[in-house]
Amino acid sequence: MDENMKQFQQSLMELEIEAEHLLLARQQLVENDRLRNGNREALTALRKRAQTTKTSIPSAFESIMKEIEGLGSKPLVKEVCATCGNHDSNEKTWMMFPGTDVFARIPFHAAHTILEKDQEQLDFHSKKLHGFVKEKSFLISEKGALADKISPGVLRSLVTLTDKPK
Protein backbone atom coordinates (compact mmCIF):
# COMPACT_ATOMS: atom_id res chain seq x y z
CA MET A 1 0.00 0.00 0.00
CA ASP A 2 1.04 3.56 -0.60
CA GLU A 3 2.60 5.33 2.44
CA ASN A 4 0.02 8.16 2.25
CA MET A 5 -2.77 5.63 2.24
CA LYS A 6 -1.35 3.86 5.31
CA GLN A 7 -1.04 7.17 7.13
CA PHE A 8 -4.59 8.10 6.13
CA GLN A 9 -5.88 4.72 7.32
CA GLN A 10 -4.04 5.10 10.64
CA SER A 11 -5.47 8.57 11.23
CA LEU A 12 -8.97 7.25 10.46
CA MET A 13 -8.52 4.44 12.98
CA GLU A 14 -7.35 6.88 15.67
CA LEU A 15 -10.28 9.16 14.93
CA GLU A 16 -12.75 6.29 15.12
CA ILE A 17 -11.37 5.18 18.49
CA GLU A 18 -11.62 8.73 19.86
CA ALA A 19 -15.17 9.04 18.55
CA GLU A 20 -16.16 5.75 20.21
CA HIS A 21 -14.76 7.00 23.52
CA LEU A 22 -16.74 10.21 23.07
CA LEU A 23 -19.98 8.31 22.43
CA LEU A 24 -19.40 6.06 25.44
CA ALA A 25 -18.79 9.11 27.65
CA ARG A 26 -21.99 10.74 26.40
CA GLN A 27 -23.94 7.56 27.14
CA GLN A 28 -22.48 7.50 30.65
CA LEU A 29 -23.53 11.14 31.10
CA VAL A 30 -27.11 10.19 30.20
CA GLU A 31 -27.01 7.36 32.73
CA ASN A 32 -25.59 9.65 35.43
CA ASP A 33 -28.29 12.24 34.75
CA ARG A 34 -30.96 9.56 35.10
CA LEU A 35 -29.55 8.53 38.49
CA ARG A 36 -29.17 12.16 39.62
CA ASN A 37 -32.79 12.88 38.75
CA GLY A 38 -33.92 9.83 40.74
CA ASN A 39 -31.89 10.97 43.75
CA ARG A 40 -33.21 14.50 43.44
CA GLU A 41 -36.80 13.21 43.39
CA ALA A 42 -36.15 11.02 46.44
CA LEU A 43 -34.58 13.90 48.37
CA THR A 44 -37.52 16.15 47.47
CA ALA A 45 -39.96 13.50 48.72
CA LEU A 46 -38.04 13.21 52.00
CA ARG A 47 -38.03 16.99 52.44
CA LYS A 48 -41.78 17.12 51.82
CA ARG A 49 -42.26 14.36 54.35
CA ALA A 50 -40.24 16.34 56.88
CA GLN A 51 -42.01 19.51 55.66
CA THR A 52 -38.76 21.41 55.21
CA THR A 53 -37.02 23.14 52.37
CA LYS A 54 -33.34 23.93 52.05
CA THR A 55 -34.02 27.47 53.28
CA SER A 56 -36.63 26.74 55.97
CA ILE A 57 -34.05 25.66 58.56
CA PRO A 58 -32.51 28.58 60.46
CA SER A 59 -28.80 29.12 60.03
CA ALA A 60 -26.40 28.64 62.93
CA PHE A 61 -26.19 32.43 63.32
CA GLU A 62 -29.99 32.74 63.61
CA SER A 63 -30.02 29.97 66.21
CA ILE A 64 -27.32 31.72 68.23
CA MET A 65 -29.16 35.05 68.13
CA LYS A 66 -32.45 33.45 69.26
CA GLU A 67 -30.68 31.69 72.11
CA ILE A 68 -28.94 34.91 73.22
CA GLU A 69 -32.27 36.71 73.29
CA GLY A 70 -33.90 33.86 75.22
CA LEU A 71 -32.79 32.04 78.31
CA GLY A 72 -29.05 31.84 78.90
CA SER A 73 -29.13 28.31 80.35
CA LYS A 74 -29.64 26.53 77.00
CA PRO A 75 -26.72 25.71 74.71
CA LEU A 76 -26.00 28.47 72.22
CA VAL A 77 -26.01 26.31 69.07
CA LYS A 78 -28.46 23.47 68.57
CA GLU A 79 -27.51 21.03 65.81
CA VAL A 80 -30.36 20.97 63.30
CA CYS A 81 -30.16 18.88 60.16
CA ALA A 82 -31.10 20.91 57.08
CA THR A 83 -33.30 18.10 55.74
CA CYS A 84 -34.73 16.65 58.95
CA GLY A 85 -35.54 19.95 60.64
CA ASN A 86 -37.77 19.17 63.62
CA HIS A 87 -38.81 15.85 62.05
CA ASP A 88 -38.04 12.71 64.09
CA SER A 89 -34.73 11.65 62.58
CA ASN A 90 -35.04 8.13 64.04
CA GLU A 91 -38.35 7.45 62.29
CA LYS A 92 -37.89 4.46 60.00
CA THR A 93 -38.33 4.95 56.26
CA TRP A 94 -38.08 2.53 53.36
CA MET A 95 -35.15 2.92 51.02
CA MET A 96 -33.81 0.93 48.10
CA PHE A 97 -30.04 1.03 48.18
CA PRO A 98 -28.37 2.39 45.01
CA GLY A 99 -27.28 -0.29 42.58
CA THR A 100 -29.24 -3.08 44.27
CA ASP A 101 -32.74 -4.47 44.54
CA VAL A 102 -32.64 -4.51 48.34
CA PHE A 103 -35.24 -2.53 50.30
CA ALA A 104 -34.55 -1.76 53.95
CA ARG A 105 -36.16 0.27 56.70
CA ILE A 106 -33.56 2.67 57.96
CA PRO A 107 -33.72 5.85 60.06
CA PHE A 108 -34.95 8.94 58.22
CA HIS A 109 -31.71 10.84 58.85
CA ALA A 110 -29.56 7.98 57.52
CA ALA A 111 -31.72 7.69 54.37
CA HIS A 112 -31.36 11.32 53.32
CA THR A 113 -27.67 11.37 54.30
CA ILE A 114 -26.98 8.39 52.03
CA LEU A 115 -28.90 10.03 49.18
CA GLU A 116 -27.14 13.38 49.61
CA LYS A 117 -23.67 11.76 49.58
CA ASP A 118 -24.63 9.71 46.52
CA GLN A 119 -25.85 12.90 44.84
CA GLU A 120 -22.54 14.63 45.54
CA GLN A 121 -20.62 11.72 44.02
CA LEU A 122 -22.84 11.71 40.93
CA ASP A 123 -22.35 15.46 40.53
CA PHE A 124 -18.58 15.01 40.75
CA HIS A 125 -18.57 12.19 38.18
CA SER A 126 -20.82 14.19 35.85
CA LYS A 127 -18.47 17.16 35.95
CA LYS A 128 -15.54 14.84 35.26
CA LEU A 129 -17.39 13.29 32.31
CA HIS A 130 -18.28 16.74 30.93
CA GLY A 131 -14.58 17.59 30.95
CA PHE A 132 -13.77 14.30 29.21
CA VAL A 133 -16.43 14.95 26.54
CA LYS A 134 -15.03 18.44 25.93
CA GLU A 135 -11.51 17.05 25.67
CA LYS A 136 -12.50 14.31 23.21
CA SER A 137 -14.62 16.71 21.16
CA PHE A 138 -11.68 19.11 20.94
CA LEU A 139 -9.34 16.28 19.99
CA ILE A 140 -11.68 15.16 17.22
CA SER A 141 -12.09 18.70 15.94
CA GLU A 142 -8.30 19.15 16.02
CA LYS A 143 -8.05 16.21 13.65
CA GLY A 144 -10.17 18.28 11.31
CA ALA A 145 -7.49 17.91 8.67
CA LEU A 146 -9.63 15.02 7.52
CA ALA A 147 -12.57 17.34 6.90
CA ASP A 148 -11.19 18.41 3.53
CA LYS A 149 -10.79 14.77 2.47
CA ILE A 150 -13.88 13.24 4.10
CA SER A 151 -17.16 15.01 4.74
CA PRO A 152 -18.47 15.11 8.34
CA GLY A 153 -21.45 12.94 7.34
CA VAL A 154 -19.21 10.16 6.09
CA LEU A 155 -17.07 10.49 9.22
CA ARG A 156 -20.18 10.20 11.42
CA SER A 157 -21.25 7.07 9.53
CA LEU A 158 -17.79 5.55 10.01
CA VAL A 159 -18.16 5.93 13.77
CA THR A 160 -21.54 4.15 13.84
CA LEU A 161 -20.47 1.23 11.64
CA THR A 162 -20.78 -2.20 13.20
CA ASP A 163 -19.49 -5.54 11.97
CA LYS A 164 -22.19 -8.05 11.08
CA PRO A 165 -21.26 -11.70 11.56
CA LYS A 166 -21.68 -13.86 8.45
Side-chain angles (χ1 to χ4, degrees), residues 12-153:
L12 273 178
M13 286 175 33
E14 290 173 4
L15 185 62
E16 183 176 353
I17 290 170
E18 296 298 331
E20 285 177 1
H21 289 196
L22 175 66
L23 290 175
L24 287 172
R26 284 186 179 170
Q27 183 61 37
Q28 186 62 42
L29 268 173
V30 169
E31 183 65 23
N32 272 10
D33 283 343
R34 188 185 64 75
L35 291 173
R36 284 175 49 208
N37 283 339
N39 272 8
R40 183 182 47 79
E41 290 171 2
L43 284 169
T44 301
L46 288 175
R47 284 189 187 106
K48 282 184 180 178
R49 185 169 169 192
Q51 296 179 345
T52 61
T53 63
K54 283 188 172 184
T55 59
S56 68
I57 305 300
S59 69
F61 178 74
E62 291 172 352
S63 298
I64 290 172
M65 293 312 290
K66 285 182 183 177
E67 295 298 328
I68 289 174
E69 291 173 0
L71 299 174
S73 63
K74 293 182 182 177
L76 286 180
V77 179
K78 179 182 174 187
E79 288 289 327
V80 178
C81 175
T83 302
C84 293
N86 292 328
H87 190 74
D88 180 18
S89 61
N90 291 325
E91 176 189 332
K92 301 286 186 181
T93 187
W94 286 101
M95 180 178 166
M96 184 173 93
F97 287 98
T100 66
D101 292 334
V102 177
F103 280 92
R105 280 185 66 122
I106 61 174
F108 184 85
H109 183 72
H112 80 76
T113 302
I114 290 169
L115 286 171
E116 286 171 351
K117 286 182 181 178
D118 194 36
Q119 189 77 356
E120 287 174 9
Q121 287 179 342
L122 287 170
D123 288 341
F124 174 75
H125 290 300
S126 289
K127 286 179 183 177
K128 204 161 83 170
L129 279 171
H130 277 292
F132 183 78
V133 166
K134 284 181 183 180
E135 176 187 328
K136 291 296 177 185
S137 298
F138 180 72
L139 190 63
I140 289 172
S141 70
E142 282 293 307
K143 293 186 178 187
L146 297 175
D148 61 338
K149 298 176 184 173
I150 300 176
S151 70

